[in-house]
Amino acid sequence: VSDSLPLDRLRQALPDLRILTDPADTEAFRFDETEYLRPGQPLAVAFPRSTADVQAIVRWAGETRTPLVPRGAGTGLSGGAVAIDGALTVVFTQMNQILEIDRANLTATVQPGVINADLGRAVGAQGLFYGPDPASFEMCSIGGNLAENSGGLRCVKYGVTRDWVLGLEVVLANGEVVRTGGKNKKDVAGYDLTSIFVGSEGTLGLITEATLRLLPAPPPS
Ligand SMILES: Cc1cc2nc3c(=O)[nH]c(=O)nc-3n(C[C@H](O)[C@H](O)[C@H](O)COP(=O)(O)OP(=O)(O)OC[C@H]3O[C@@H](n4cnc5c(N)ncnc54)[C@H](O)[C@@H]3O)c2cc1C
């Protein structure tokens, strides 16, 4: 089977999807910040813009037996976003909207490509605070933070990413979209699926939305 056949099917399914195939273009998406790893040569690099795009990509991947590599900003230090031979790298940089800042409930709902520092600035402008601050905060994405359960210096007082996640929207390997958790503290019935996805390094599903906890901004010290 020629390499172009699966991609033709993807283009048919999602004609507006941005897809890079030229090695000169895909090169920048083969590596993350992990040393001593040899990245593979991806089939292509795709940039979904919506949960529906991600769902269609995952369904296509199942039908064509194409592995997927989710990718945020590519700052990871454990090789999770490194390209695999013949796989489609799915980059979340175009899903970068802060969908809601809910002051009454102290939550923010975001797409996974939002940069950590951008979220911090947006909620800070409303007198609110988002705790997790990996040292890469000016570059890394919330999706990557969730998949790595990242934490920075403030974790000593405020905890790591897992402590700030109330709910997720995730596209599973079969293309099903699931929602875990929710805004309410009492959204606790059943298994704690949110926590399973946090720290799973993209192996259990593609995170397409997250509802995060906020606090009133602490006073300057
Ligand atoms: C200078 C520097 C400083 C750093 N400091 C810290 C630190 O203080 N604390 C810390 O914890 N880490 C740190 N890191 C590591 C890295 O920045 C974090 O792990 C960050 O959370 C990765 O985010 P990213 O958007 O770059 O993710 P990527 O590197 O793109 O991906 C990381 C993992 O997340 C998965 N992923 C990305 N998006 C999704 C999604 N939407 N759905 C499912 N899976 C997804 C990928 O498959 C991969 O497994 C640092 C890195 C650098 C380069």
Side-chain angles (χ1 to χ4, degrees):
V1 180
S2 130
D3 272 355
S4 66
L5 272 179
L7 279 183
D8 287 347
R9 284 176 66 175
L10 183 58
R11 288 193 181 99
Q12 278 162 16
L14 291 171
D16 295 330
L17 181 68
R18 182 173 175 230
I19 303 175
L20 305 178
T21 52
D22 188 322
D25 296 328
T26 58
E27 183 66 15
F29 300 93
R30 289 176 65 219
F31 301 79
D32 63 6
E33 292 297 321
T34 316
E35 291 185 71
Y36 312 120
L37 280 182
R38 283 199 192 163
Q41 198 63 54
L43 173 67
V45 177
F47 299 81
R49 301 184 73 97
S50 66
T51 300
D53 283 357
V54 176
Q55 190 175 30
I57 289 171
V58 171
R59 288 202 171 126
W60 161 86
E63 285 161 16
T64 58
R65 310 290 298 159
T66 306
L68 297 177
V69 176
R71 181 181 177 98
T75 69
L77 296 173
S78 54
V82 167
I84 295 173
D85 279 334
L88 182 77
T89 295
V90 182
V91 185
F92 282 93
T93 48
Q94 293 191 10
M95 290 178 66
N96 61 351
Q97 299 302 307
I98 297 173
L99 301 171
E100 182 192 54
I101 296 172
D102 181 343
R103 293 174 57 86
N105 287 303
L106 292 176
T107 64
T109 299
V110 302
Q111 291 186 310
V114 170
I115 301 298
N116 179 299
D118 290 340
L119 176 63
R121 281 188 279 266
V123 302
Q126 300 201 27
L128 301 172
F129 173 77
Y130 176 66
D133 64 338
S136 52
F137 68 103
E138 287 284 4
M139 304 172 278
C140 64
S141 72
I142 295 295
N145 294 174
L146 291 161
E148 299 285 357
N149 192 19
S150 289
L153 292 178
R154 292 201 297 238
C155 76
V156 178
K157 181 166 182 183
Y158 292 106
V160 292
T161 300
R162 179 174 282 124
D163 302 307
W164 291 74
V165 190
L166 293 169
L168 295 174
E169 180 187 80
V170 185
V171 180
L172 303 180
N174 63 0
E176 197 180 330
V177 180
V178 295
R179 281 188 170 271
T180 71
K183 281 187 184 177
N184 301 321
K185 287 257 185 241
K186 283 284 282 175
D187 279 334
V188 291
Y191 299 114
D192 183 1
L193 295 175
T194 305
S195 284
I196 289 176
F197 288 111
V198 176
S200 67
E201 302 203 23
T203 57
L204 298 180
L206 278 69
I207 298 166
T208 46
E209 194 181 294
T211 298
L212 307 168
R213 198 163 70 84
L214 303 174
L215 285 177
S221 49

